[in-house]
Amino acid sequence: MKAQSIAAIKRQRTAKLARLVTRAYYLNKRGQDDRMYSLVCDEFVSLGGVYIKFLQGVLLRSEVMKRWHSPGRLKIFENLDTEHLDIVSILRQELSPDKLSQISGVQPQPFAAGSFGQVYYGQHINGKPVIIKVLRPMIRELLRYDLKLLNAFTRRFYGHAMSNMDMNVNEAIKEFTRATLRETDYITEAEFASELYEHYKENEKYIIPETFMELCTKNIIVQEYVDGISVAQIVKLQEQGVDPRTYVLEQLGSDLDQQLETLGFESINGIFNLRRIQGDPHPGNIKLLTENRVGVIDFGISATTPQNKAAFFGLLEEWHEFYNDSTSIVGIFEQFMRFFSSDLYAALKKLSAFTQKETGANASFAKELGGMAQDMLSSALGGRDIKPLLQNGRILQVINRMVNKDNRFGLVMKLEASEIIRAAQTYMTLIETLGRQSDVLPKVLKRVVEDVSEKHPDLRHQSEDSMSVGDAIEVVSNWLERIAERDPRLFKQLLAKIRAADKSMDIKGKA
């Protein structure tokens, strides 16, 4: 009976997405993109589950969300539709009598619902209020099929709307699939939440709820209840004309900017101190509390911290210096390449050092490339000042969309960066939505750079000099082949610089 029900649901969803493809194609052809985006998003909300998660996780960072005109669009972050579940029976099935006795009461109706789970309010015998998160029925059975449908749909129509760093729809879908499959693993989620709680339990401003591991199973999670006001509620009120900072101050006595700064600082700083951080800080997962505290809930998506922390710190440091008028696109692009395309960066550094050793000339192929990037950006902007464009925290997007358009630089992005960038983009979207990015982001970067410089001074001095000259030549040769295919003009410019270096070496050798 259950198999028949699942098969029927699969047929229904396949047919619904097929109709959606036809309608979206029609609107796209007629140039009615706003209607197309709204249609797709509304239909995804009606499908629920992983389709809403897709809106939260991928389209949140694209133009699609900005052009989705629907009064109910913010419900994707919390208070989704619920279904009737007998929570008492579920608890009896999941927990032994002695464990069940640790829960002194539970409300029969859910007070919140997410993409995959419903949340009930309960009480622990120690007096603490708790939440009981229950996985919705048949989520696991349908998830892989839904992901295949999403993959097919997205490849066909929305490749141009993705804003992931490498602008590669296939990689965006793969990364989303991996994160989503992990999110239905409640044991892993509970362990991650407990890991964060242990790290932050003495932090008075950044609140992680306690997880009662002995009461968690593959289908339920029991955690300490975090009260306060969700950022999703603040965003909804903002759309009704309410000023977010004034409202938070009046309701909680807290400074919204300080709370957003704490959220950004602890999240980014955690990259240098933890194995993984909360990977989905969207408005529904952030709670604003009294006394300038900020709470984080829902730990289904984690972001593994990158191995090359020195490169990530270099990128943050250049970004921070940008706000102090102490850097340029050249430096930022160089660190951008160092983090996202470390093999090429190391190869260029190696050849630069080799050239300098052989000729005595000061050579830096990475900086030369950064100079070209700056010229391209200036040309794309018509000579306008780039600072206002970048101050809003969109520095990486600007570099990728305008400088690296159509991947003209042939950069192969390291996959390990995707989870962290996904988390960072979600945070950036959050503070941008509240209109606080220009006030909050410089303070976050300043605090992170100062703290990491003090606690991890070695990161500033780490180098990528382990590559041999032969390997460096091979990496650069492969890169130049990609450039030749994408941007022949840029290829000629780069080749001329390399030949100039070779000629200089040859002259010195003859001398």
Side-chain angles (χ1 to χ4, degrees):
M1 193 70 178
K2 183 178 180 181
Q4 291 178 347
S5 177
I6 291 173
I9 293 172
K10 288 180 178 180
R11 287 195 299 271
Q12 181 187 39
R13 291 182 182 177
T14 302
K16 191 166 188 174
L17 278 178
R19 291 193 297 270
L20 180 58
V21 164
T22 302
R23 294 166 64 193
Y25 181 79
Y26 173 79
L27 293 172
N28 179 257
K29 281 295 184 182
R30 295 179 68 88
Q32 299 179 19
D33 284 355
D34 282 7
R35 286 187 62 191
M36 177 183 68
Y37 291 145
S38 293
L39 169 67
V40 171
C41 292
D42 287 340
E43 288 294 303
F44 277 15
V45 169
S46 70
L47 284 164
V50 70
Y51 299 92
I52 291 177
K53 183 59 62 178
F54 187 78
L55 293 178
Q56 295 172 342
V58 177
L59 297 189
L60 174 68
R61 308 188 303 277
S62 74
E63 287 296 316
V64 176
M65 288 290 285
K66 295 179 181 178
R67 300 172 69 173
W68 176 21
H69 305 295
S70 171
R73 67 189 183 92
L74 292 175
K75 74 180 291 184
I76 69 169
F77 296 117
E78 58 180 4
N79 299 325
L80 297 172
D81 294 337
T82 62
E83 53 189 300
H84 176 70
L85 299 176
D86 188 340
I87 182 61
V88 174
S89 295
I90 290 174
L91 289 174
R92 286 174 177 166
Q93 292 172 8
E94 295 293 323
L95 300 174
S96 62
D98 61 316
K99 291 182 178 179
L100 187 59
S101 66
Q102 295 184 45
I103 300 176
S104 60
V106 59
Q107 290 185 354
Q109 299 299 324
F111 73 90
S115 310
F116 299 148
Q118 296 186 171
V119 187
Y120 297 80
Y121 185 83
Q123 191 83 17
H124 195 275
I125 56 172
N126 66 9
K128 281 187 176 182
V130 298
I131 61 99
I132 302 165
K133 182 177 175 182
V134 180
L135 190 69
R136 294 177 188 259
M138 293 193 293
I139 285 291
R140 292 193 183 96
E141 290 87 341
L142 291 166
L143 186 55
R144 290 189 181 275
Y145 185 78
D146 282 326
L147 287 168
K148 288 180 181 178
L149 289 179
L150 264 174
N151 193 344
F153 181 87
T154 306
R155 284 170 184 259
R156 181 66 181 87
F157 282 101
Y158 288 95
H160 67 280
M162 298 299 108
S163 62
N164 284 45
M165 290 307 301
D166 58 3
M167 300 295 284
N168 186 312
V169 179
N170 294 337
E171 290 303 326
I173 290 293
K174 287 178 183 177
E175 188 268 333
F176 172 75
T177 298
R178 286 191 297 270
T180 301
L181 290 172
R182 290 201 306 266
E183 197 166 359
T184 60
D185 184 349
Y186 272 15
I187 295 297
T188 298
E189 178 178 343
E191 290 173 346
F192 173 50
S194 184
E195 182 182 309
L196 289 183
Y197 171 76
E198 288 300 320
H199 183 81
Y200 288 106
K201 63 183 178 182
E202 304 300 329
N203 193 311
E204 296 180 352
K205 298 300 181 184
Y206 190 65
I207 309 304
I208 303 293
E210 179 182 3
T211 299
F212 298 91
M213 287 299 300
E214 70 278 9
L215 302 180
C216 297
T217 72
K218 67 177 184 177
N219 294 312
I220 66 170
I221 294 175
V222 180
Q223 283 175 337
E224 179 184 4
Y225 173 71
V226 178
D227 59 1
I229 303 172
S230 77
V231 172
Q233 291 174 269
I234 301 297
V235 173
K236 185 175 182 179
L237 290 169
Q238 179 182 243
E239 292 194 343
Q240 298 170 3
V242 177
D243 178 68
R245 290 195 72 192
T246 301
Y247 183 82
V248 171
L249 182 62
E250 291 176 348
Q251 297 296 315
L252 300 171
S254 294
D255 184 323
L256 176 61
D257 281 5
Q258 287 190 31
Q259 292 172 305
L260 295 176
E261 182 184 333
T262 295
L263 174 64
F265 171 76
E266 296 297 351
S267 297
I268 298 175
N269 204 46
I271 293 171
F272 301 95
N273 300 294
L274 299 168
R275 292 189 305 114
R276 48 188 177 165
I277 63 171
Q278 211 272 11
D280 195 23
H282 70 63
N285 288 342
I286 307 302
K287 290 290 192 79
L288 305 176
L289 311 170
T290 58
E291 300 176 342
N292 291 332
R293 296 173 300 147
V294 59
V296 179
I297 60 174
D298 197 334
F299 306 93
I301 295 179
S302 63
T304 303
T305 57
Q307 292 183 352
N308 194 343
K309 290 181 173 57
F312 188 73
F313 177 69
L315 183 58
L316 291 177
E317 192 171 31
E318 285 289 338
W319 197 353
H320 162 63
E321 291 298 331
F322 175 82
Y323 286 101
N324 298 327
D325 294 317
S326 301
T327 193
S328 64
I329 290 298
V330 176
I332 292 171
F333 187 83
E334 186 177 358
Q335 295 303 318
F336 174 92
M337 183 168 54
R338 179 187 179 192
F339 180 63
F340 290 105
S341 192
S342 57
D343 286 350
L344 176 60
Y345 176 82
L348 291 174
K349 293 285 283 186
K350 187 66 178 182
L351 293 183
S352 297
F354 180 73
T355 301
Q356 186 170 353
K357 179 181 177 182
E358 293 296 315
T359 67
N362 187 16
S364 177
F365 292 128
K367 278 188 169 54
E368 291 279 1
L369 194 58
M372 291 183 182
Q374 181 165 271
D375 292 342
M376 288 178 177
L377 183 56
S378 297
S379 176
L381 293 172
R384 287 186 288 123
D385 182 15
I386 64 172
K387 186 152 188 171
L389 187 64
L390 302 182
Q391 276 182 328
N392 289 333
R394 295 194 168 274
I395 192 165
L396 300 184
Q397 290 93 325
V398 168
I399 288 175
N400 198 62
R401 289 180 181 177
M402 302 181 81
V403 177
N404 195 37
K405 184 180 179 182
D406 298 324
N407 199 15
R408 69 177 73 176
F409 279 97
L411 303 179
V412 178
M413 304 299 184
K414 289 296 183 182
L415 197 58
E416 68 159 346
S418 62
E419 292 181 344
I420 288 296
I421 295 305
R422 179 186 188 278
Q425 286 182 325
T426 303
Y427 169 73
M428 294 297 303
T429 301
L430 184 149
I431 60 173
E432 180 186 7
T433 300
L434 293 171
R436 308 309 305 162
Q437 66 273 37
S438 60
D439 296 276
V440 171
L441 187 59
K443 296 177 183 177
V444 171
L445 293 172
K446 182 176 185 294
R447 285 184 61 190
V448 170
V449 168
E450 290 176 350
D451 192 80
V452 175
S453 296
E454 178 185 347
K455 296 177 180 176
H456 306 281
D458 56 305
L459 292 181
R460 182 171 278 137
H461 307 293
Q462 286 186 17
S463 64
E464 296 83 357
D465 196 29
S466 59
M467 187 178 289
S468 69
V469 173
D471 288 342
I473 291 173
E474 183 178 358
V475 169
V476 171
S477 296
N478 292 335
W479 167 62
L480 288 173
E481 288 180 10
R482 294 196 298 272
I483 294 281
E485 293 176 0
R486 292 171 170 83
D487 194 329
R489 183 179 177 184
L490 177 61
F491 171 73
K492 290 180 180 179
Q493 289 178 285
L494 290 168
L495 200 60
K497 290 184 179 295
I498 292 173
R499 284 174 174 169
D502 287 341
K503 184 177 180 180
S504 175
M505 291 172 61
D506 185 55
I507 291 173
K508 186 173 193 292
K510 289 179 179 178

